[in-house]
Amino acid sequence: NSKGLKSKNLLELMGQPLIKYTLDCASNCKLIDEIAISTDSKDILQITKNLGYDNNGYIRPDSLAEDNTPKVDAIKHLVEFYENKKNFYPDIIVDLDIGVPLRKANDIEESIIKLHSDKNMDTLVTVYESDRNPYFNMIEKKSNDYYSLVKFPNPVVHRRQDAPKVYNITPAIFAWKRDKLDIKHLYKGNWGIHIMPIERSIDIDTKFEYDLINFLLNNEK
């Protein structure tokens, strides 16, 4: 379920199930050996079967489908399910969020290569360049009930171009090395990034973003 857009994962784009865009992208990635679908929805599982993924999905336990369930716990459970039930032992786990349908297969391939080639990197996340910067034009409420910059660089910058570079996370791709998956929080470990253009990074959380992606797809067509 989605709090921002009701039944988001059951929506269609251009007459196709939303999940099809992610499954097709994964299928076109040469470095992915196994596609796994973890869901708490029988409807979603049936959609994936209708798309030809008959043996790729399973219904995860209710305890891993609560509003406050850490995502990494569901991913760990999925990996252990495949290792114990299917004898498939991955080197790298790639999480592809259904809500980012415009990513490309080469985004996944470049992310995997970057993570695999750096022995000190634990996990990799996709990002895009942010148009807002906590060192320049983002403010937060302070203890005195007034507002100021989130972060103060030293020396203080007077142009956005001089502020430290920051990025927005897009859940297009999260990737972990298998031996680094025993973490308590999604954002632990040594991160690497793969920078994507904003037009491929849009994450559907609201109707506006859903309409925007529909517009982009129609415009491309």
Side-chain angles (χ1 to χ4, degrees):
N1 223 335
S2 170
K3 300 303 178 185
L5 187 60
K6 185 175 176 60
S7 301
K8 176 178 71 177
N9 292 333
L10 296 173
L11 294 176
E12 291 190 348
L13 281 174
M14 304 286 288
Q16 300 289 343
L18 179 59
I19 195 173
K20 184 179 189 298
Y21 291 82
T22 294
L23 292 172
D24 287 351
C25 186
S27 296
N28 290 328
C29 178
K30 298 175 182 178
L31 298 181
I32 287 184
D33 298 307
E34 183 76 19
I35 294 175
I37 302 160
S38 170
T39 181
D40 64 331
S41 167
K42 292 181 180 179
D43 290 334
I44 291 175
L45 192 61
Q46 186 58 52
I47 289 172
T48 63
K49 289 181 178 180
N50 294 343
L51 292 171
Y53 296 87
D54 294 344
N55 300 309
N56 301 79
Y58 85 118
I59 299 292
R60 63 176 175 261
D62 290 342
S63 60
L64 293 175
E66 302 293 339
D67 288 344
N68 60 350
T69 300
K71 189 173 189 178
V72 70
D73 288 356
I75 292 170
K76 286 180 189 177
H77 188 276
L78 175 64
V79 172
E80 290 168 358
F81 176 86
Y82 264 72
E83 290 175 340
N84 296 330
K85 302 293 186 182
K86 298 197 175 188
N87 294 317
F88 179 80
Y89 300 90
D91 299 306
I92 288 176
I93 297 94
V94 182
D95 173 39
L96 304 175
D97 196 292
I98 295 173
V100 191
L102 301 185
R103 74 172 78 73
K104 300 293 185 182
N106 67 289
D107 290 316
I108 305 173
E109 291 173 2
E110 290 177 20
S111 297
I112 292 173
I113 291 169
K114 186 177 291 187
L115 177 59
H116 186 264
S117 62
D118 189 330
K119 66 178 182 179
N120 295 317
M121 190 184 299
D122 301 326
T123 184
L124 181 140
V125 64
T126 40
V127 299
Y128 59 95
E129 291 192 14
S130 175
D131 64 337
R132 314 299 295 173
N133 194 306
Y135 295 93
F136 184 73
N137 56 8
M138 294 181 69
I139 63 174
E140 65 179 350
K141 190 175 184 179
K142 302 298 183 178
S143 58
N144 63 1
D145 287 341
Y146 291 99
Y147 292 77
S148 66
L149 279 175
V150 174
K151 284 182 172 290
F152 281 92
N154 188 16
V156 173
V157 298
H158 300 284
R159 301 189 314 153
R160 178 178 57 83
Q161 293 85 349
D162 297 329
K165 181 77 75 174
V166 296
Y167 300 93
N168 290 336
I169 293 172
T170 171
I173 301 165
F174 277 96
W176 294 266
K177 291 174 181 173
R178 175 62 181 94
D179 61 354
K180 301 296 183 181
L181 196 58
D182 292 327
I183 56 177
K184 301 297 183 183
H185 192 283
L186 193 63
Y187 299 122
K188 293 289 187 181
N190 295 329
W191 282 30
I193 62 171
H194 170 64
I195 303 173
M196 291 172 50
I198 188 172
E199 62 268 18
R200 294 210 305 272
S201 303
I202 301 168
D203 176 26
I204 299 176
D205 275 327
T206 66
K207 187 176 185 301
F208 169 76
E209 288 148 347
Y210 173 69
D211 290 342
L212 177 58
I213 287 180
N214 266 297
F215 171 81
L216 291 173
L217 287 171
N218 273 291
N219 190 58
E220 185 180 77
K221 185 178 180 181

